[in-house]
Amino acid sequence: RSSLKFPFRHDMMVVRQEMIVLKISTRGRYAVRMMLDVAQNQGENYVALKDIAARQSISKKYLEQIALQLTQAGMLRAMRGQLGGYRLAKAPSEYTVLSLLEVMEGSLAPVSCLEGENTCPRADKCLSLPVWEKLDTLINDYLDSVSLADLLAEGGGNGCGI
């Protein structure tokens, strides 16, 4: 699992009380790499899973599970057969890192009380809740601002480091 570590700036104060670690699973990172690979290599054709696996050094069996989830979410189109494989269902600019990670990870909320409706009986008097809400907003806004097209333009689309 890779980690984004914060202390981060919050209204001119550095939040250091606790080190907050947002962990994105290997599955989530591989999904982003797979989508980048498909975007870079699809042209007019479908991209074979074995080719993605070889380029990305990810097991084909693991990619099959990821591809199934992305296909069920409507992000990939699949075609069986000798010329089969996967294509993006939409343009790379229409996929954000947030949308991919939400399919693979579910909520990226830094604390459980921000997952769905906050039913915590302490929510109305919780002094730390604004910090977690701001962090949640920062994470979601940033990941929602980065598209596959942005990543392809910035890094040549090799998927390294993701």
Side-chain angles (χ1 to χ4, degrees):
R1 297 169 77 93
S2 70
S3 301
L4 297 175
K5 294 183 180 178
F6 300 86
F8 63 95
R9 294 192 76 71
H10 175 69
D11 296 332
M12 303 306 289
M13 296 184 322
V14 176
V15 175
R16 293 186 190 268
Q17 273 183 331
E18 290 183 34
M19 181 64 77
I20 300 164
V21 180
L22 168 69
K23 294 196 178 209
I24 304 299
S25 70
T26 300
R27 187 181 198 87
R29 290 182 302 113
Y30 284 3
V32 174
R33 284 174 52 187
M34 179 181 186
M35 293 290 282
L36 285 167
D37 190 290
V38 172
Q40 189 175 40
N41 294 290
Q42 69 184 4
E44 297 298 317
N45 302 312
Y46 284 76
V47 182
L49 201 59
K50 68 178 176 61
D51 296 335
I52 300 168
R55 279 190 297 270
Q56 297 299 320
S57 300
I58 302 171
S59 99
K60 183 179 172 214
K61 209 158 201 43
Y62 198 38
L63 282 178
E64 286 171 352
Q65 297 169 20
I66 292 168
L68 178 63
Q69 208 168 342
L70 292 170
T71 302
Q72 289 173 340
M75 295 184 155
L76 285 176
R77 289 191 190 134
M79 186 170 91
R80 296 178 188 248
Q82 186 174 359
L83 298 175
Y86 295 91
R87 296 183 51 74
L88 299 183
K90 301 182 281 188
S93 61
E94 296 187 50
Y95 295 99
T96 66
V97 173
L98 179 64
S99 66
L100 296 172
L101 291 177
E102 284 178 335
V103 166
M104 303 309 294
E105 309 276 344
S107 171
L108 298 179
V111 290
S112 60
C113 63
L114 294 178
E115 295 175 344
E117 186 178 333
N118 188 347
T119 58
C120 177
R122 295 183 36 82
D124 61 335
K125 57 187 171 262
C126 180
L127 296 177
S128 63
L129 185 59
V131 171
W132 309 131
E133 290 172 332
K134 176 74 173 179
L135 178 59
D136 188 48
T137 299
L138 290 169
I139 291 167
N140 286 302
D141 287 352
Y142 175 69
L143 293 175
D144 200 35
S145 75
V146 180
S147 71
L148 288 181
D150 295 332
L151 292 173
L152 289 168
E154 288 175 15
N158 64 14
C160 294
I162 294 175

